[in-house]
Amino acid sequence: DAKTTQPPSMDCAEGRAANLPCNHSTISGNEYVYWYRQIHSQGPQYIIHGLKNNETNEMASLIITEDRKSSTLILPHATLRDTAVYYCIGMAYGNKLVFGAGTILRVKS
Amino acid sequence: DTGVSQNPRHKITKRGQNVTFRCDPISEHNRLYWYRQTLGQGPEFLTYFQNEAQLEKSRLLSDRFSAERPKGSFSTLEIQRTEQGDSAMYLCASSPWDRPNYGYTFGSGTRLTVV
């Protein structure tokens, strides 16, 4: 599975968009980009995933570059409850999730 | 759909004792995963099942660890002769292998403290 690189931490003002970057330059053509987050003392929560096209759901948007070497998770209007560790994972369908260190997102009022 | 349930939520045990954790996945999910997470780290994969078959085990899973999923429903993770280094959060997740859009659903974990 692809190795991903994320900044260790980011801050965001409440109500503003949070843009979380992820580099995955070695991603293979059959590997999806998955995003999960983990709020303190809870299990990870699935957010969104994509292969080539940009994706949007009720939680977030995922923008994948055309060369698929990087992506950005966008939380359009961050709230204090979005403070969490965000994990970007490259994974082929049917394989297991392999977590890195993730990005600590702090949403501040 | 009641989500993934893990019991107990917390377990404190003395070094050398055996402990067993239980995971009840979402009923229609045929894949079940166990992860371990220590403070400040991302979850580390331990093992996974498809139905009752254990398909992969990490090298992290020493011979003191054993996992079962006898009827393809709930799973147990047993640690024998616990050591202080086993102190961690043990997470269970489930997924329907044929629907990748679904992602994994994780439980809230069992926090083990070995004293």
Side-chain angles (χ1 to χ4, degrees), chain A:
Chain A
D1 293 318
K3 178 177 170 55
T4 61
T5 304
Q6 299 178 252
S9 65
M10 293 181 62
D11 290 339
C12 177
E14 188 178 20
R16 304 297 293 269
N19 297 290
L20 292 92
C22 178
N23 286 324
H24 34 78
S25 57
T26 61
I27 197 167
S28 300
N30 66 337
E31 289 181 324
Y32 292 79
V33 179
Y34 283 81
W35 283 85
Y36 283 74
R37 73 179 182 183
Q38 188 171 24
I39 296 169
H40 182 61
S41 296
Q42 297 182 20
Q45 177 190 23
Y46 167 81
I47 302 173
I48 199 168
H49 80 287
L51 184 63
K52 296 180 183 178
N53 300 321
N54 298 337
E55 302 287 345
T56 295
N57 64 20
E58 65 278 5
M59 290 182 68
S61 295
L62 174 60
I63 308 298
I64 303 174
T65 58
E66 193 169 344
D67 62 8
R68 300 208 330 120
K69 292 186 176 181
S70 66
S71 61
T72 301
L73 179 75
I74 301 172
L75 307 178
H77 305 286
T79 71
L80 297 178
R81 287 175 294 182
D82 292 322
T83 292
V85 180
Y86 287 76
Y87 299 99
C88 168
I89 302 168
M91 185 183 82
Y93 168 50
N95 284 3
K96 62 185 182 295
L97 286 174
V98 177
F99 291 83
T103 295
I104 299 171
L105 175 68
R106 300 184 189 91
V107 180
K108 299 183 175 181
S109 58

Side-chain angles (χ1 to χ4, degrees), chain B residues 5 12 25-26 28-29 52 57 76 80 82 85 91 95 111:
Chain B
S5 176
I12 299 174
I26 292 173
E28 63 266 29
H29 287 184
E52 66 276 9
K57 292 193 292 186
T76 57
Q80 296 182 327
T82 52
L91 293 161
S95 73
R111 181 166 296 284

